[in-house]
Amino acid sequence: MAYFIELKTYTDERGSLNSIDRALPFDIKRIYYIYNVNESLNRGGHRHFETVEGLICMNGTFTVLIDNGREKKEYYLSDPSKILIMEIGDWHVMYDLSPDAVLMGIASTNYDPKDYAYEPLSIS
């Protein structure tokens, strides 16, 4: 199931800085950004066979629903010092993105359309 990693924040009179240095449980192969999202639409709606991902709310707010086939859980993201780690098989959908939301995704694999499944896991 997905979980948060909290980055160390360095703050002084110049502002705040976070560094993703040896913080992730995977090597970064891909970084992507989502922004200017139509407020009435969702993003995501899939799971991966091989990819582990991290989601960071760089600006604004949004909610992520995770369904790993055994449990469902919502995560509210609003803090750029927290990374939501989504494990292999975590079906996810991002919604309620604020108008100013900027979502940064970090992935353990390069893009491969064969790595995507569009239905949640069904475990009996």
Side-chain angles (χ1 to χ4, degrees):
M1 179 56 86
Y3 60 94
F4 279 109
I5 291 176
E6 184 141 2
L7 299 173
K8 179 141 179 61
T9 300
Y10 301 92
T11 301
D12 63 22
E13 65 277 355
R14 300 169 295 169
S16 297
L17 178 143
N18 293 104
S19 175
I20 303 171
D21 185 10
R22 299 182 187 145
L24 299 174
F26 58 87
D27 291 331
I28 298 170
K29 297 285 184 168
R30 177 170 41 109
I31 297 173
Y32 59 91
Y33 301 87
I34 298 173
Y35 57 98
N36 292 336
V37 175
N38 181 326
E39 292 178 59
S40 64
L41 300 178
N42 299 333
R43 296 298 307 228
H46 60 267
R47 60 185 166 88
H48 294 282
F49 298 111
E50 296 182 21
T51 302
V52 178
E53 287 184 283
L55 296 180
I56 303 172
C57 184
M58 300 304 294
N59 195 64
T61 62
F62 61 92
T63 302
V64 181
L65 173 66
I66 302 288
D67 180 348
N68 70 359
R70 292 179 300 280
E71 64 179 304
K72 294 179 184 180
K73 188 171 179 182
E74 288 183 319
Y75 298 85
Y76 180 75
L77 283 83
S78 63
D79 182 347
S81 72
K82 293 183 180 178
I83 304 174
L84 180 65
I85 302 297
M86 299 184 302
E87 298 181 322
I88 294 170
D90 280 349
W91 183 87
H92 55 281
V93 63
M94 292 82 82
Y95 59 94
D96 288 341
L97 284 88
S98 64
D100 60 342
V102 177
L103 180 161
M104 182 171 77
I106 303 168
S108 66
T109 62
N110 294 311
Y111 174 74
D112 180 354
K114 292 178 270 183
D115 185 39
Y116 287 70
Y118 294 94
E119 296 81 29
L121 282 171
S122 178
I123 298 176
S124 302

